[in-house]
Amino acid sequence: MLIEYKKDNEKVAMGLLSYLPDFKNLENLKEEIKLNRNSDEFKLYLYKNEDNNIIGVIGTQINRSFIIVRYLSLAPGFREKRYEKKILKSLANTHPKLTVTAVPEYTFLIKDLNNSDE
């Protein structure tokens, strides 16, 4: 289940983001959190698994027609295609009027979303 980022989840979000190379630097990480907190265009979502544990984070950019996946980070132990697909399907269901797409580094996720071999 996707939940929109809130300040209450900041430490969890920062921890998950820190697995990504771009956010290993604390200043970059803080800037990203600030960007998502202060913008309607950039949204951060956390993903809760069946046990209600937050295991992933997905960063998006939203415009009139698209929701663009900027990055996706999963906790160690949950880095499986099935979780990636669940997160993307939840994102698509959360924004049914928008087309889900991705920045070039994450287009493989969209291809996987369209393959229903789950």
Side-chain angles (χ1 to χ4, degrees), residues 58-117:
I58 187 168
T60 64
Q61 183 175 358
I62 301 169
N63 66 31
R64 290 176 38 211
S65 303
F66 297 96
I67 184 157
I68 304 160
V69 174
R70 298 175 55 231
Y71 49 77
L72 172 67
S73 180
L74 292 165
F78 297 96
R79 295 180 179 158
E80 301 170 20
K81 282 198 181 294
R82 68 183 176 118
Y83 289 112
E84 292 173 351
K85 281 187 174 187
K86 286 180 179 187
I87 292 170
L88 289 170
K89 285 181 180 182
S90 291
L91 184 66
N93 290 338
T94 302
H95 299 279
K97 294 183 180 180
L98 299 177
T99 301
V100 178
T101 188
V103 295
E105 298 88 345
Y106 288 94
T107 54
F108 70 94
L109 292 172
I110 305 306
K111 290 177 187 171
D112 288 345
L113 177 63
N114 296 324
N115 296 332
S116 307
D117 60 355

Side-chain angles (χ1 to χ4, degrees), residues 38-59:
N38 298 331
S39 173
D40 289 333
E41 181 182 0
F42 295 93
K43 293 284 179 198
L44 198 59
Y45 295 93
L46 302 170
Y47 182 77
K48 285 186 176 185
N49 68 359
E50 303 82 25
D51 297 326
N52 215 30
N53 296 317
I54 297 173
I55 63 161
V57 63
I58 187 168

Side-chain angles (χ1 to χ4, degrees), residues 8-59:
D8 295 350
N9 304 111
E10 185 170 316
K11 286 184 180 181
V12 174
M14 289 177 77
L16 289 165
L17 285 173
S18 71
Y19 292 120
L20 297 171
D22 289 345
F23 302 121
K24 296 239 181 255
N25 176 301
L26 186 58
E27 286 306 310
N28 291 351
L29 184 55
K30 287 179 180 179
E31 282 298 314
E32 184 65 18
I33 292 292
K34 185 177 174 183
L35 173 69
N36 285 279
R37 192 181 316 136
N38 298 331
S39 173
D40 289 333
E41 181 182 0
F42 295 93
K43 293 284 179 198
L44 198 59
Y45 295 93
L46 302 170
Y47 182 77
K48 285 186 176 185
N49 68 359
E50 303 82 25
D51 297 326
N52 215 30
N53 296 317
I54 297 173
I55 63 161
V57 63
I58 187 168

